[in-house]
Amino acid sequence: MKGGLMSEIRSVALALAVISSLVQPAHAGTQTAELSSQKSHSTRAAQLLVQSSDNVNKVTGVKINSTDKGIEIILESANAEALKPVNNNQGNSYIADIPNAVLALPEGGNFTQNNPAPGIVSVSVTQANTNTLRVTVIGEGSLPNTELFDSDQGLIFAVTPIASATKPQQPTQAVAEVTGVKLNPTNNGLEIILTTPDGEKLPVLPKTEGNTYIIEINSAQLRLPSGGTFRQEKPIAGVSEITVTNSDANTIRMAVIGVDSIPKVELFDSDQGLIFGVASAASSTQAQTQPQTPTEPTQPSASDEPIELTVTGEKDGYRVQDSSTATKIDVPLRDIPASVQVIPKEIIQDRQVVKLNELADNVSGVRRQETYGGLSSQGYFIRGFETGFETLRNGFKDFGFISPRDVSSIERVEFLKGPASILYGSISSPGGVVNTITKQPLSDPFYQINGTIGSDDFYRTSVDLTGPLLENRSALYRLNLAYENADSFRDFVNNESTYVGPIITVKAGENTDITFGYEYQKYDYTFDRGFPNNNRVVFDLPISRFLGEPNLNRGEFTSNNFTYVLESKFGYNNDWKFRQGFNVLNVSGSAGGVQANSINDDGLTVARGYRVSNDESSNISFQNEVSGKFNTGSIRHNILVGLELSNYSFQYEFFRGDIADLNIFNPIYGAQPESVSRSDFQKYGGSNIALYLQNLVEITPNLKLLAGGRFDWVDSFDRDLETGTNTETSDSKFSPRVGIVYQPTDSTSIYGSWTNSFNPQIFGRSRNEEAFKPETAEQFEVGIKQEFLDKRLSATLAYFDITKNNVLTTDPIDSDYQIQTGEQKSSGVELDVVGEILPGWKIIGTYTYTDAFISEDNDPTLVNNRLAGVPYNSASLWTTYQLQKGNLQGLGLGFGLVYVGQRESGIPNNVKIPSYLRTDASVFYKRDNWRVGVNIKNLFDTKYYESQGFYIVPAAPFTVLGTVSFDF
């Protein structure tokens, strides 16, 4: 096992190096032309389209070291000799503009340090414009002496301050202080408020550079409690960043950077100070559409030749750069010391995903687990361990086993790999957790309708409506509807599903939003477990073969989910947030019929049983969290404190009976059950109180530490409702997590982490009737996250090692009881690659090596048995290309491969499920507000199977789905 693992590690490392060497030259040779235009505005506002820029030199770090004479400022760059400063001194400020250079710090934004040495007020390194870097050293009363040197480290500025007495001070104009910067949302976007009592007196000079709107405010200085720099990323749609800095001793520079075009900015005076109104992308777009006056045609000249516009960016992209599941705060994925993969709705659409567990194909270390008789719920094997169908809905727990889930309302699905008790308490699987994030209301109207037809009489339609409820947009709504009706490649199998999901967001205050959400789903289906896993003869059967009874096998479940979330921002610059969430999820219904238990010794017939279960599950969660950012000296903190109260219960009532065997090769249906009686009437569950604390510490801009822990108090019960007997247990457990991230460049993150999880043992008893300790798990993980192609493509390579302890095993003295001596291990290597290689060419690919096995058990024949459903090797690729120009612009093709190695069907390891390679394809056309597509799943009609842990489930053969969608 271990020799194979090291071989795979070397292979993956070599492959990643080859990929890097291949994609970087491809990027270097890529050129795009962008259309630019200019419009005249007042001195208080301007608007431009994006202009392209040439290749520039990157400054990836700024250091300040003390010297005998003063300080040295080091601009770290791989091409320092290409940095050519041009002096532009003003008063007591040394200013050096470096053309053809950009600041690319790991943390982004500008660099500022106040009072680095006696006689020096501040040092700042800022982006003066798109292609020019500015170094500003403000002396205390006089201009400091500065010399330049080149070194292996980069470009060095040796700065010597001059005592103020040696040079008479020049008379200066009074400098106004700006003591605060606030961002407030408005109906059209947001307003930027610079707090100062002298707003009317300050001269404001606007200009534009590329897609950046710049305002220079003379005779003013930024004096914030947190320092001399303000920065906010992605404040509204269409704006990627807003920065406010001191460009020199007498000037404030504000930059509003647009995503695809120059933002529209207007200035207003008020008693608060200077107020700048910034319009969102949607508002600006609506205002730009004006009727054109016809003109006479003219002969084209060389300058009138059409310009090709190539649009690039993250819109409709496969790559998502941040996630909340791993930390419960919005953090860039590159700052998280864990492997987190996010599947956005674009992949769901392009692959025409019908059931969410199909997404396992696109995430390394994850395999789908077949569900409860074919119910449309979520089951996964993650890093070798089954999840027990437990998932999250918007961060709230969902038992999942009997809980259907429709894809129509899903914005994205986040896979957090590794133990997750630090934030979510008791977790049945140490392999990881899956969080489905629903679509939220939008402030601008959007309406979409979809229709799909396909093989085996598959019919599906969905509607997505969103927009403002009130004219002032203080209340927003979203409504998702879906209906599905389908037969199956399996004999006698069909399903029908109805989904309704309304959401309303109300603006209760300037910085407070309240969201109410409700989901209803009814899922009616044929209960079909597939084949028993005790004999390989099942692989000789047609994949359509049904081993139940057509008139007896049925299931129906109804899900009702209500959610309330309050979010309120407060504190300086709204850096703090209070979140309160309440969720109630109730699922009830029944499922069952005739179930195939095992293939008889004759290899021709199957022993069957009749069973029907009436089930009901309930999850109630109440979460209260405070998160915020603050500094202690030069160290930045992003803290989370939370309190959670929850209650969970599951009730089931089993009826069992006898029924005749069935010839698996020549089935004759029509048998009826006999001696049906209630065999079990149970209810189990528990209540939980938890406190958790987490701190993401930025020790230096390229070194981050994530540390935290959660303490859970859990009271569990297992109650026999027929006899009245009740067993109760109480557990308390602390679950810590520590991780560190080192970022040597702005495109590389190296991380390591240690995490833990626990799960109370509700079932099972020892011979002395004592309760068992919770199952526990521990994981060590190291990895690297690398970005390529100007950060359009990212790769995550991870190694993990998980040990699960306190696993129940059969008592060797009395097989009716258990003892707690079992241990299971899983380790492996995972690679995920996702993003855009070229404009229109998207890709998501995975590779996984997993060694998951039983390491300790009372039964020596089970030691070293592989865990069910987990292959040693698996890999996948899905890629699409859409034409960006020409007469066929909007036409796209998709291609996918999924390889899954041989797996064990159960424990003990008696029957192996064969490996398979599946091919998928698609063709689609997108134009204006409509899209049409055809997806072919299993293009070459490969015969393959999936695992449920106890059953072998045939997978779908060649399948065609055609979809049409309209946006209006």
Side-chain angles (χ1 to χ4, degrees):
M1 293 182 186
K2 308 305 180 216
L5 174 59
M6 295 308 299
S7 176
E8 295 295 346
I9 293 175
R10 288 193 292 269
S11 299
V12 170
L14 179 60
L16 190 59
V18 172
I19 291 171
S20 177
S21 66
L22 289 175
V23 298
Q24 295 289 6
H27 169 56
T30 302
Q31 294 182 349
T32 60
E34 295 183 340
L35 181 65
S36 67
S37 63
Q38 216 167 9
K39 299 179 181 179
S40 62
H41 291 268
S42 68
T43 58
R44 300 282 187 171
Q47 192 169 14
L48 291 174
L49 292 177
V50 179
Q51 297 178 347
S52 62
S53 60
D54 299 328
N55 291 332
V56 293
N57 302 297
K58 290 185 177 181
V59 172
T60 57
V62 180
K63 290 183 178 178
I64 295 182
N65 297 328
S66 298
T67 64
D68 294 338
K69 297 181 179 180
I71 61 172
E72 61 178 17
I73 306 166
I74 304 174
L75 304 188
E76 297 177 341
S77 175
N79 196 17
E81 64 276 5
L83 302 178
K84 305 297 182 183
V86 178
N87 284 358
N88 188 22
N89 299 339
Q90 296 179 10
N92 61 336
S93 296
Y94 171 85
I95 300 174
D97 288 336
I98 307 175
N100 206 34
V102 297
L103 193 60
L105 302 181
E107 71 277 14
N110 300 316
F111 173 89
T112 301
Q113 183 170 333
N114 295 322
N115 304 314
I120 300 177
V121 175
S122 69
V123 173
S124 64
V125 183
T126 60
Q127 199 69 50
N129 59 46
T130 307
N131 297 314
T132 303
L133 202 63
R134 173 170 291 178
V135 178
T136 304
V137 183
I138 304 176
E140 186 177 334
S142 59
L143 181 71
N145 289 332
T146 306
E147 296 179 278
L148 298 181
F149 304 96
D150 289 329
S151 77
D152 294 338
Q153 301 179 64
L155 182 63
I156 299 178
F157 295 79
V159 182
T160 303
I162 297 176
S164 59
T166 63
K167 183 176 180 180
Q169 291 190 7
Q170 301 295 325
T172 59
Q173 181 180 349
V175 176
E177 290 190 352
V178 173
T179 58
V181 180
K182 293 182 180 180
L183 304 184
N184 293 333
T186 64
N187 292 337
N188 295 324
L190 62 79
E191 60 182 17
I192 308 169
I193 302 176
L194 304 187
T195 305
T196 176
D198 303 313
E200 295 182 357
K201 304 175 184 178
L202 296 179
V204 176
L205 303 176
K207 63 179 179 178
T208 59
E209 294 175 357
N211 62 334
T212 303
Y213 186 95
I214 299 171
I215 296 173
E216 291 190 347
I217 307 170
N218 294 326
S219 302
Q221 280 288 278
L222 200 59
R223 297 284 187 258
L224 304 180
S226 58
T229 300
F230 170 89
R231 177 171 176 259
Q232 178 66 53
E233 294 182 344
K234 301 177 181 177
I236 55 172
V239 176
S240 63
E241 184 179 76
I242 294 175
T243 59
V244 185
T245 60
N246 290 321
S247 61
D248 58 44
N250 299 297
T251 308
I252 292 176
R253 182 179 188 271
M254 186 179 80
V256 183
I257 305 174
V259 175
D260 297 317
S261 61
I262 191 76
K264 182 180 179 181
V265 181
E266 295 180 293
L267 173 62
F268 308 96
D269 295 326
S270 81
D271 295 337
Q272 301 179 62
L274 294 175
I275 300 180
F276 299 89
V278 182
S280 67
S283 301
S284 298
T285 301
Q286 292 169 3
Q288 289 170 6
T289 305
Q290 298 292 337
Q292 300 291 324
T293 302
T295 59
E296 294 184 6
T298 59
Q299 295 296 324
S301 64
S303 61
D304 292 329
E305 291 180 1
I307 300 174
E308 285 187 355
L309 176 63
T310 301
V311 181
T312 62
E314 292 301 319
K315 184 179 180 182
D316 298 330
Y318 284 4
R319 183 177 175 227
V320 178
Q321 300 190 47
D322 50 27
S323 167
S324 61
T325 300
T327 59
K328 283 201 170 187
I329 53 178
D330 290 327
V331 176
L333 290 175
R334 66 188 305 268
D335 292 347
I336 300 175
S339 181
V340 184
Q341 304 304 320
V342 182
I343 306 298
K345 63 180 183 298
E346 287 77 18
I347 294 178
I348 296 175
Q349 173 185 269
D350 287 354
R351 287 194 56 213
Q352 278 302 304
V353 169
V354 177
K355 293 186 177 181
L356 284 173
N357 62 1
E358 295 180 52
L359 296 178
D361 293 338
N362 300 117
V363 183
S364 69
V366 181
R367 289 304 316 144
R368 75 177 70 179
Q369 181 182 17
E370 289 303 313
T371 57
Y372 185 40
L375 181 66
S376 182
S377 56
Q378 293 187 82
Y380 303 96
F381 299 99
I382 304 179
R383 288 188 168 176
F385 299 96
E386 60 178 283
T387 61
F389 303 94
E390 186 177 64
T391 61
L392 302 173
R393 294 193 189 203
N394 298 309
F396 297 102
K397 281 190 178 182
D398 180 357
F399 176 64
F401 187 61
I402 63 170
S403 179
R405 198 80 169 94
D406 196 89
V407 300
S408 63
S409 64
I410 303 301
E411 179 71 26
R412 64 187 186 275
V413 182
E414 301 187 355
F415 291 78
L416 168 61
K417 290 181 277 187
S421 289
I422 167 66
L423 294 176
Y424 303 107
S426 59
I427 296 290
S428 60
S429 171
V433 68
V434 180
N435 188 18
T436 53
I437 310 297
T438 56
K439 299 173 182 176
Q440 296 299 304
L442 303 178
S443 59
D444 296 302
F446 172 79
Y447 315 109
Q448 184 182 78
I449 183 169
N450 296 272
T452 303
I453 61 174
S455 303
D456 300 306
D457 292 328
F458 181 91
Y459 300 96
R460 177 180 172 85
T461 185
S462 63
V463 177
D464 185 3
L465 310 174
T466 185
L469 284 173
L470 302 176
E471 187 175 350
N472 63 0
R473 306 190 184 209
S474 61
L476 311 175
Y477 81 96
R478 191 151 197 166
L479 177 63
N480 281 277
L481 307 170
Y483 175 78
E484 180 179 308
N485 192 309
D487 288 341
S488 170
F489 70 95
R490 300 275 292 161
D491 294 338
F492 314 113
V493 172
N494 56 60
N495 73 271
E496 182 180 23
S497 173
T498 303
Y499 174 84
V500 180
I503 302 178
I504 294 176
T505 296
V506 178
K507 193 168 190 60
E510 184 178 0
N511 299 309
T512 302
D513 292 334
I514 302 177
T515 299
F516 300 94
Y518 173 70
E519 291 181 288
Y520 166 87
Q521 186 171 4
K522 182 179 180 181
Y523 198 84
D524 187 353
Y525 68 110
T526 303
F527 188 80
D528 176 25
R529 289 278 201 173
F531 299 152
N533 69 346
N534 69 313
N535 194 315
R536 286 189 54 84
V537 71
V538 298
F539 298 125
D540 298 328
L541 296 176
I543 60 173
S544 61
R545 184 58 40 85
F546 182 67
L547 300 183
E549 286 291 337
N551 297 323
L552 296 177
N553 286 55
R554 205 69 205 164
E556 181 184 291
F557 288 97
T558 301
S559 169
N560 289 276
N561 181 47
F562 171 77
T563 303
Y564 145 85
V565 174
L566 179 147
E567 291 187 342
S568 182
K569 296 180 180 179
F570 62 96
Y572 176 75
N573 199 37
N574 288 331
D575 274 346
W576 289 83
K577 182 173 75 173
F578 171 71
R579 175 187 175 274
Q580 183 178 83
F582 178 71
N583 176 255
V584 178
L585 173 60
N586 181 270
V587 186
S588 61
S590 64
V594 178
Q595 182 172 290
N597 295 326
S598 62
I599 302 297
N600 293 322
D601 293 339
D602 59 13
L604 298 175
T605 58
V606 59
R608 305 186 299 173
Y610 177 80
R611 46 91 70 204
V612 172
S613 178
N614 300 318
D615 306 311
E616 181 177 6
S617 69
S618 175
N619 284 84
I620 302 175
S621 300
F622 183 49
Q623 302 172 350
N624 294 270
E625 297 167 350
V626 176
S627 59
K629 301 174 183 178
F630 64 94
N631 291 351
T632 54
S634 62
I635 297 177
R636 183 73 167 165
H637 301 265
N638 194 342
I639 196 169
L640 170 75
V641 180
L643 167 68
E644 181 174 23
L645 310 176
S646 62
N647 182 275
Y648 161 72
S649 67
F650 184 79
Q651 179 177 305
Y652 61 93
E653 184 181 22
F654 267 116
F655 294 87
R656 301 180 188 271
D658 301 325
I659 198 165
D661 294 354
L662 184 74
N663 187 308
I664 60 176
F665 292 100
N666 185 26
I668 299 176
Y669 303 103
Q672 294 298 313
E674 299 177 350
S675 305
V676 178
S677 62
R678 186 166 69 182
S679 60
D680 297 282
F681 190 22
Q682 302 277 132
K683 185 175 184 178
Y684 65 88
S687 58
N688 185 65
I689 300 176
L691 289 171
Y692 46 97
L693 172 66
Q694 172 189 270
N695 193 4
L696 178 59
V697 185
E698 185 179 297
I699 301 172
T700 65
N702 62 347
L703 183 63
K704 299 175 176 68
L705 174 69
L706 179 66
R710 170 168 166 147
F711 206 100
D712 283 86
W713 294 267
V714 184
D715 293 324
S716 306
F717 69 90
D718 182 11
R719 187 174 303 133
D720 189 319
L721 298 178
E722 188 167 17
T723 64
T725 59
N726 186 36
T727 303
E728 297 181 349
T729 59
S730 293
D731 298 293
S732 59
K733 191 68 178 177
F734 178 70
S735 303
R737 173 174 67 178
V738 177
I740 192 166
V741 179
Y742 172 63
Q743 296 166 332
T745 70
D746 66 341
S747 60
T748 304
S749 295
I750 302 170
Y751 72 90
S753 64
W754 170 67
T755 53
N756 294 263
S757 70
F758 81 102
N759 188 39
Q761 299 274 22
I762 298 178
F763 308 111
R765 286 293 179 271
S766 63
R767 278 180 286 112
N768 57 9
E769 292 298 322
E770 290 183 355
F772 290 114
K773 299 177 182 178
E775 283 183 344
T776 59
E778 178 183 52
Q779 175 189 266
F780 295 93
E781 179 177 346
V782 293
I784 181 171
K785 302 178 183 182
Q786 181 66 48
E787 296 173 326
F788 304 97
L789 301 180
D790 227 6
K791 299 187 178 183
R792 296 196 312 271
L793 187 74
S794 68
T796 300
L797 178 65
Y799 169 79
F800 66 90
D801 188 289
I802 303 175
T803 302
K804 182 179 179 180
N805 295 302
N806 295 338
V807 180
L808 295 183
T809 62
T810 302
D811 191 327
I813 298 177
D814 189 339
S815 60
D816 289 335
Y817 297 95
Q818 294 87 32
I819 58 176
Q820 210 163 18
T821 60
E823 181 184 85
Q824 298 175 355
K825 287 182 174 290
S826 180
S827 60
V829 176
E830 299 168 342
L831 174 66
D832 290 271
V833 180
V834 63
E836 189 175 47
I837 297 176
L838 293 171
W841 185 6
K842 303 170 188 175
I843 185 174
I844 181 168
T846 72
Y847 169 75
T848 308
Y849 172 88
T850 306
D851 185 12
F853 61 97
I854 297 174
S855 51
E856 294 181 13
D857 196 283
N858 286 329
D859 185 349
T861 64
L862 295 181
V863 175
N864 291 326
N865 267 222
R866 299 233 352 127
L867 301 186
V870 183
Y872 276 111
N873 293 281
S874 62
S876 70
L877 170 69
W878 173 258
T879 181
T880 61
Y881 179 73
Q882 186 176 12
L883 296 176
Q884 301 292 290
K885 58 186 178 181
N887 294 331
L888 296 178
Q889 181 180 358
L891 178 66
L893 299 174
F895 178 77
L897 291 171
V898 177
Y899 169 75
V900 179
Q902 186 175 258
R903 295 141 290 155
E904 297 294 342
S905 64
I907 300 175
N909 295 166
N910 293 326
V911 175
K912 290 181 169 58
I913 301 176
S915 63
Y916 68 86
L917 176 65
R918 191 189 78 226
T919 304
D920 300 332
S922 73
V923 57
F924 57 92
Y925 185 71
K926 187 174 183 181
R927 198 74 171 184
D928 299 326
N929 65 330
W930 59 273
R931 182 186 189 275
V932 60
V934 176
N935 285 73
I936 302 175
K937 301 184 180 183
N938 199 355
L939 178 64
F940 299 113
D941 204 21
T942 300
K943 188 177 182 181
Y944 70 103
Y945 304 84
E946 300 292 357
S947 173
Q948 197 267 341
F950 299 97
Y951 296 91
I952 298 171
V953 182
F958 177 88
T959 302
V960 178
L961 295 174
T963 301
V964 177
S965 65
F966 293 93
D967 301 343
F968 54 95

